[in-house]
Amino acid sequence: MSVNDPAEITSALREERKFPPSRQFSERAWIKTLAEYEALCRRAEQEPDAFWAECAREIDWFQPFDRVLEWNFPFVKWFVGGKLNACHNCVDRHLNGPRRNKVALLWEGEPGDSRVLTYQMLAEEVGRCANALKALGVGAGDRVAIYMPVLPEAIVAMLACARIGAIHSVVFAGFSADALADRINDAEAKLCITTDGGWRRGQAVELKRNVDDALARTSSIEKCLVLRRVGNAVAMRPGRDLWWHEVVPGQSPHCEAVAVDAEHTLYTLYTSGTTGKPKGVVHTTGGYLVHTLMTMRWVFDLRDEDVFWCTADIGWVTGHSYTVYGPLAAGATLVAYEGAPNYPENDRFWQIIEKYRVNIFYTAPTAIRNFVKWGDSWVERHDLSSLRLLGTVGEPINPEAWMWYHRVVGKERCPIVDTWWQTETGAIMISPMPGVTVTKPGSATRPLPGVVAEVVDRQGGPVPANHGGLLVIRRPWPGMLRTLFRDPQRYRDQYFSQIDGVYFTGDGARRDEDGYFWIMGRVDDVINVAGHRLGTMEIESALVSHPSVAEAAVVGRPDDLKGQAVAAFVTLISGKQGTDGLREELRTHVAKHIGALARPDYVRFTEALPKTRSGKIMRRLLKQVAAGDETLGDTTTLEDLSVLSRLREEE
Ligand code: 7RM
């Protein structure tokens, strides 16, 4: 069955609730009125080059650009002829004014240790690290693999690479030795920066051991720089491995930020495809920085006095754009946390928000659904009155999870920005502007100024309002990926060949009568019941709206009669029991909310759902479990393999 054409996706779930921003919020916001917002959008539409050129003036250029955009389909160049440095923009630029002694980083370790770095202190740390990289033979264009937990030094290492024009390739520290080796090999990284270990739920994870295993399978790495974090014994290979504390602190804090071309690669970041080897997404310097910076203002409404916390690990694009580059380019005070949300207890995030008086909090639906499951009391025991804006990213957020976030965390006071974007887009593309947009739970609302997003059919033609279709982007945008590392053909095939003339996101979506986008997830996550195409997301949202349900994943299971039957995997709120009675209740509940067509044929209660390491539900695996398929294919991105074996044992 081909599920790649959701143009006929039956979209039955309608969310009618609307939440306008409070006057108090709007009055102080960067973008205060609908008129201002529309003027921005109009300008971006009518004079895109002039619009983005104005945005680009918000950052420092060592040499001004001559041309805003060169579009040689599907390859793009932004701010051609301009020279700049990303690290200069994130650090040095803030040293000549009142931000010099402003806190850049409020870092919290999992065991409870903490560190505070001002912009001045950050500048010196980065300078020393950059000089150390040079001493180790790293220069402009060389690739550096960073395999570290969220530590100040990890951020310092990223910025140090940018400072000397080296290209970082951060590999999430939760990945295995094999995954690390594949990424090092593809990037042909020369240096690897890691730690002896990392803390995860009170346990020391042996990162250096993983590196040693990985390096046995790679040939490009010349040196390995090792930061001591947990203090466990590690093997140091003479000639290759060096301790951070023996190399970095002795360096001079002064290191010139090299002027690189606007299109110089800032980093590569590997993202897993459903098949084949991971794709090395390439982001360059000028456009990426402009796009991440502008979204700090448009979407997060960042003010100088704000404390901003994005909970994403630096191993994901969200960590790159909104833990590191966006906030620092904006001169923000950011919070970064090393560990798990449930260590030592389920309220660690709320404790951190209270401790640092966080104003803007950005996290993922998967985390929110966990909080729902753990219960409100963990939130209620903390003073969260500093919060003024909440955000989500990573998956569609079910309306009920949105409502919980709004009510229990935001106390019905904080706007929620549901931000849609991808590793490939570099920065946020579709999102509310919090001072202006009337939000609807579950919708990412409208594209940002200058972003031309549309919902189309497979031929690229328009679909009517409220019909499912494919989400595409029609015009280039500054933060977009430039290519896949050393694989321009795959770049073309993957993103630009399925629908003529546009960037295809791989997501299904519908646009409602107000022009709001409702992202339905990857188009592969569509099921076909008796000829009706159903977005799994809607059935999941219906399930999650039942008071006993914390999280749900819905997949199709082959069925002789209907083509596909609806199989639901459900986790319950702590303390609720998965009885036959509840199973029936849930089936009826879905039928009532969406229609009999969507009634799950099969409801399976489970302790946990299989997720990627960035928290996205892996429906592909559930589909195979539901079908009784023994060959599960690539499970390397699975966060917890035991979840899957438990699911299959319970079968
Ligand atoms: C930032 C990030 C990208 C995919 C994307 C979507 C899904 C992300 C939302 C969302 C609905 C959202 N990069 N996605 N944000 N779906 N609403 N607000 O997650 O490359 O790891 O994933 O994530 O399917 O294509 S990513």
Side-chain angles (χ1 to χ4, degrees), residues 271 316-318 362 392-397 418-424 430 442 444 505-507 519-522 614 616:
T271 176
W316 312 118
V317 73
T318 309
Y362 188 38
T392 76
V393 61
E395 285 182 292
I397 181 163
D418 173 353
T419 64
W420 178 88
W421 60 294
Q422 307 177 296
T423 304
E424 292 86 345
I430 305 180
T505 63
D507 282 350
I519 313 295
M520 304 193 297
R522 313 298 299 170
S614 65
K616 297 189 209 294

Short mmCIF file of all heavy atoms in Angstrom, two decimals, residues 271 316-318 362 392-397 418-424 430 442 444 505-507 519-522 614 616, ligand 1:
data_model
loop_
_atom_site.label_atom_id
_atom_site.label_comp_id
_atom_site.label_asym_id
_atom_site.label_seq_id
_atom_site.Cartn_x
_atom_site.Cartn_y
_atom_site.Cartn_z
N THR A 271 21.20 13.17 10.80
CA THR A 271 19.82 12.89 11.13
C THR A 271 19.46 11.58 10.47
O THR A 271 19.85 11.32 9.32
CB THR A 271 18.89 14.05 10.72
OG1 THR A 271 17.54 13.69 10.99
CG2 THR A 271 19.02 14.42 9.26
N TRP A 316 21.04 17.42 19.37
CA TRP A 316 19.95 17.60 18.40
C TRP A 316 19.99 19.00 17.83
O TRP A 316 20.57 19.91 18.41
CB TRP A 316 18.59 17.37 19.07
CG TRP A 316 18.56 16.13 19.87
CD1 TRP A 316 18.37 16.03 21.21
CD2 TRP A 316 18.80 14.81 19.39
NE1 TRP A 316 18.46 14.72 21.59
CE2 TRP A 316 18.73 13.95 20.51
CE3 TRP A 316 19.08 14.26 18.12
CZ2 TRP A 316 18.92 12.57 20.39
CZ3 TRP A 316 19.26 12.89 18.02
CH2 TRP A 316 19.18 12.06 19.13
N VAL A 317 19.31 19.19 16.74
CA VAL A 317 19.33 20.51 16.12
C VAL A 317 18.73 21.56 17.06
O VAL A 317 19.17 22.70 17.10
CB VAL A 317 18.61 20.51 14.75
CG1 VAL A 317 17.10 20.42 14.91
CG2 VAL A 317 19.00 21.73 13.94
N THR A 318 17.75 21.15 17.86
CA THR A 318 17.14 22.12 18.78
C THR A 318 18.19 22.63 19.77
O THR A 318 18.19 23.81 20.13
CB THR A 318 15.94 21.49 19.51
OG1 THR A 318 15.08 20.91 18.52
CG2 THR A 318 15.17 22.52 20.29
N TYR A 362 11.24 26.01 26.93
CA TYR A 362 11.01 25.40 25.62
C TYR A 362 11.33 23.92 25.73
O TYR A 362 12.47 23.54 26.04
CB TYR A 362 11.95 26.08 24.62
CG TYR A 362 11.79 25.76 23.15
CD1 TYR A 362 10.55 25.58 22.56
CD2 TYR A 362 12.93 25.72 22.33
CE1 TYR A 362 10.44 25.34 21.19
CE2 TYR A 362 12.82 25.50 20.96
CZ TYR A 362 11.58 25.31 20.40
OH TYR A 362 11.48 25.09 19.05
N THR A 392 6.93 24.49 22.61
CA THR A 392 7.11 23.05 22.35
C THR A 392 7.68 22.85 20.96
O THR A 392 7.48 23.67 20.07
CB THR A 392 5.80 22.23 22.42
OG1 THR A 392 5.04 22.46 21.22
CG2 THR A 392 4.98 22.58 23.61
N VAL A 393 8.33 21.71 20.79
CA VAL A 393 8.89 21.33 19.49
C VAL A 393 9.17 19.84 19.45
O VAL A 393 9.44 19.24 20.47
CB VAL A 393 10.22 22.08 19.21
CG1 VAL A 393 11.28 21.75 20.26
CG2 VAL A 393 10.75 21.74 17.82
N GLY A 394 9.10 19.27 18.26
CA GLY A 394 9.58 17.90 18.06
C GLY A 394 8.54 16.95 17.52
O GLY A 394 8.87 16.05 16.76
N GLU A 395 7.31 17.15 17.93
CA GLU A 395 6.22 16.29 17.47
C GLU A 395 4.96 17.13 17.51
O GLU A 395 4.93 18.16 18.18
CB GLU A 395 6.01 15.14 18.45
CG GLU A 395 7.00 14.03 18.41
CD GLU A 395 6.60 12.97 19.42
OE1 GLU A 395 6.67 13.23 20.63
OE2 GLU A 395 6.18 11.89 18.98
N PRO A 396 3.92 16.66 16.85
CA PRO A 396 2.64 17.32 17.07
C PRO A 396 2.30 17.21 18.55
O PRO A 396 2.56 16.17 19.16
CB PRO A 396 1.66 16.50 16.23
CG PRO A 396 2.50 15.73 15.25
CD PRO A 396 3.81 15.50 15.94
N ILE A 397 1.77 18.26 19.12
CA ILE A 397 1.35 18.16 20.52
C ILE A 397 -0.16 17.90 20.55
O ILE A 397 -0.92 18.60 19.91
CB ILE A 397 1.75 19.38 21.37
CG1 ILE A 397 1.30 19.19 22.83
CG2 ILE A 397 1.24 20.70 20.80
CD1 ILE A 397 1.98 20.12 23.83
N ASP A 418 3.86 26.67 19.76
CA ASP A 418 4.06 25.33 19.21
C ASP A 418 4.83 25.55 17.92
O ASP A 418 4.31 26.06 16.94
CB ASP A 418 2.68 24.70 18.96
CG ASP A 418 2.74 23.37 18.22
OD1 ASP A 418 3.83 22.97 17.76
OD2 ASP A 418 1.68 22.73 18.09
N THR A 419 6.12 25.19 17.95
CA THR A 419 7.03 25.58 16.86
C THR A 419 7.31 24.40 15.96
O THR A 419 7.86 23.39 16.40
CB THR A 419 8.36 26.10 17.44
OG1 THR A 419 9.01 25.03 18.14
CG2 THR A 419 8.13 27.26 18.41
N TRP A 420 6.97 24.53 14.69
CA TRP A 420 7.30 23.47 13.73
C TRP A 420 8.56 23.83 12.97
O TRP A 420 8.67 24.93 12.41
CB TRP A 420 6.16 23.25 12.71
CG TRP A 420 6.57 22.19 11.72
CD1 TRP A 420 6.37 20.86 11.84
CD2 TRP A 420 7.29 22.38 10.49
NE1 TRP A 420 6.94 20.19 10.77
CE2 TRP A 420 7.52 21.11 9.93
CE3 TRP A 420 7.80 23.51 9.83
CZ2 TRP A 420 8.20 20.93 8.72
CZ3 TRP A 420 8.49 23.33 8.63
CH2 TRP A 420 8.67 22.04 8.09
N TRP A 421 9.50 22.89 12.96
CA TRP A 421 10.70 23.02 12.13
C TRP A 421 11.42 21.69 12.12
O TRP A 421 10.93 20.72 12.69
CB TRP A 421 11.59 24.18 12.59
CG TRP A 421 12.11 24.10 14.00
CD1 TRP A 421 11.37 24.18 15.15
CD2 TRP A 421 13.47 23.96 14.42
NE1 TRP A 421 12.19 24.08 16.24
CE2 TRP A 421 13.48 23.95 15.83
CE3 TRP A 421 14.69 23.85 13.73
CZ2 TRP A 421 14.67 23.84 16.57
CZ3 TRP A 421 15.87 23.73 14.46
CH2 TRP A 421 15.85 23.73 15.86
N GLN A 422 12.55 21.62 11.43
CA GLN A 422 13.27 20.36 11.24
C GLN A 422 14.78 20.59 11.31
O GLN A 422 15.23 21.74 11.16
CB GLN A 422 12.99 19.80 9.84
CG GLN A 422 11.53 19.65 9.49
CD GLN A 422 11.35 19.16 8.06
OE1 GLN A 422 11.72 19.84 7.12
NE2 GLN A 422 10.77 17.98 7.91
N THR A 423 15.51 19.51 11.48
CA THR A 423 16.97 19.61 11.41
C THR A 423 17.35 20.34 10.12
O THR A 423 18.24 21.19 10.11
CB THR A 423 17.60 18.19 11.39
OG1 THR A 423 17.15 17.49 12.54
CG2 THR A 423 19.12 18.26 11.39
N GLU A 424 16.64 20.01 9.07
CA GLU A 424 16.94 20.57 7.76
C GLU A 424 16.60 22.05 7.64
O GLU A 424 17.21 22.77 6.85
CB GLU A 424 16.17 19.81 6.68
CG GLU A 424 16.62 18.36 6.47
CD GLU A 424 15.95 17.37 7.42
OE1 GLU A 424 15.35 17.81 8.43
OE2 GLU A 424 16.04 16.15 7.15
N ILE A 430 7.24 27.54 11.32
CA ILE A 430 5.81 27.78 11.54
C ILE A 430 5.61 27.86 13.05
O ILE A 430 5.98 26.94 13.77
CB ILE A 430 4.95 26.65 10.95
CG1 ILE A 430 5.28 26.43 9.47
CG2 ILE A 430 3.47 26.94 11.16
CD1 ILE A 430 4.46 25.32 8.80
N GLY A 442 -2.76 22.44 19.59
CA GLY A 442 -2.44 21.42 18.60
C GLY A 442 -2.04 21.99 17.25
O GLY A 442 -1.60 21.25 16.38
N ALA A 444 0.42 24.60 15.03
CA ALA A 444 1.62 25.45 15.03
C ALA A 444 1.29 26.83 14.44
O ALA A 444 2.17 27.67 14.30
CB ALA A 444 2.75 24.78 14.26
N THR A 505 8.88 18.56 2.90
CA THR A 505 9.28 18.35 4.29
C THR A 505 9.17 16.90 4.75
O THR A 505 9.75 16.53 5.76
CB THR A 505 8.35 19.16 5.22
OG1 THR A 505 7.00 18.65 5.06
CG2 THR A 505 8.36 20.64 4.88
N GLY A 506 8.36 16.09 4.03
CA GLY A 506 8.10 14.73 4.50
C GLY A 506 6.93 14.67 5.47
O GLY A 506 6.51 13.59 5.87
N ASP A 507 6.39 15.82 5.85
CA ASP A 507 5.27 15.85 6.78
C ASP A 507 3.94 16.03 6.05
O ASP A 507 3.87 16.69 5.02
CB ASP A 507 5.41 17.03 7.76
CG ASP A 507 6.41 16.74 8.86
OD1 ASP A 507 6.84 15.58 9.00
OD2 ASP A 507 6.76 17.68 9.60
N ILE A 519 -0.05 20.15 11.76
CA ILE A 519 0.93 19.19 11.25
C ILE A 519 0.49 17.80 11.70
O ILE A 519 0.21 17.58 12.88
CB ILE A 519 2.34 19.48 11.81
CG1 ILE A 519 2.69 20.97 11.70
CG2 ILE A 519 3.38 18.59 11.12
CD1 ILE A 519 2.82 21.53 10.33
N MET A 520 0.43 16.88 10.76
CA MET A 520 -0.04 15.54 11.09
C MET A 520 1.10 14.54 11.23
O MET A 520 0.86 13.35 11.34
CB MET A 520 -1.05 15.09 10.04
CG MET A 520 -2.20 16.10 9.92
SD MET A 520 -3.63 15.54 9.02
CE MET A 520 -3.00 15.28 7.39
N GLY A 521 2.33 15.02 11.22
CA GLY A 521 3.48 14.12 11.38
C GLY A 521 3.97 13.62 10.03
O GLY A 521 3.51 14.07 8.98
N ARG A 522 4.91 12.71 10.07
CA ARG A 522 5.51 12.17 8.85
C ARG A 522 4.44 11.49 8.00
O ARG A 522 3.53 10.85 8.54
CB ARG A 522 6.60 11.14 9.20
CG ARG A 522 7.57 11.58 10.26
CD ARG A 522 8.36 12.79 9.91
NE ARG A 522 9.18 12.59 8.71
CZ ARG A 522 9.82 13.57 8.09
NH1 ARG A 522 9.71 14.82 8.51
NH2 ARG A 522 10.54 13.32 7.04
N SER A 614 15.70 11.25 20.59
CA SER A 614 15.23 12.62 20.79
C SER A 614 13.76 12.64 21.18
O SER A 614 13.15 13.69 21.22
CB SER A 614 15.48 13.48 19.55
OG SER A 614 14.72 13.02 18.46
N LYS A 616 10.98 11.04 19.84
CA LYS A 616 9.86 10.86 18.92
C LYS A 616 9.43 9.39 18.92
O LYS A 616 10.27 8.50 18.90
CB LYS A 616 10.27 11.27 17.51
CG LYS A 616 10.64 12.75 17.39
CD LYS A 616 10.84 13.12 15.93
CE LYS A 616 11.83 14.26 15.73
NZ LYS A 616 11.47 15.55 16.25
C1 7RM B 1 13.19 20.43 15.52
C2 7RM B 1 13.06 18.97 15.20
C3 7RM B 1 11.56 17.15 12.49
C4 7RM B 1 10.18 16.54 12.46
C5 7RM B 1 9.22 17.30 11.60
C6 7RM B 1 7.89 16.89 12.21
C7 7RM B 1 8.19 16.82 13.68
C8 7RM B 1 8.79 18.99 14.85
C9 7RM B 1 6.81 19.79 15.30
C10 7RM B 1 6.65 18.57 14.60
C11 7RM B 1 4.37 18.80 14.68
C12 7RM B 1 5.63 20.50 15.69
N1 7RM B 1 13.82 18.52 14.18
N2 7RM B 1 7.89 18.10 14.34
N3 7RM B 1 8.14 20.01 15.43
N4 7RM B 1 5.43 18.09 14.29
N5 7RM B 1 4.43 19.96 15.35
N6 7RM B 1 5.68 21.65 16.39
O1 7RM B 1 12.31 18.27 15.85
O2 7RM B 1 14.58 16.97 12.42
O3 7RM B 1 14.39 16.14 14.70
O4 7RM B 1 12.40 16.49 13.42
O5 7RM B 1 9.59 16.56 13.77
O6 7RM B 1 7.53 15.62 11.76
O7 7RM B 1 9.37 16.94 10.26
S1 7RM B 1 13.86 16.99 13.66
#
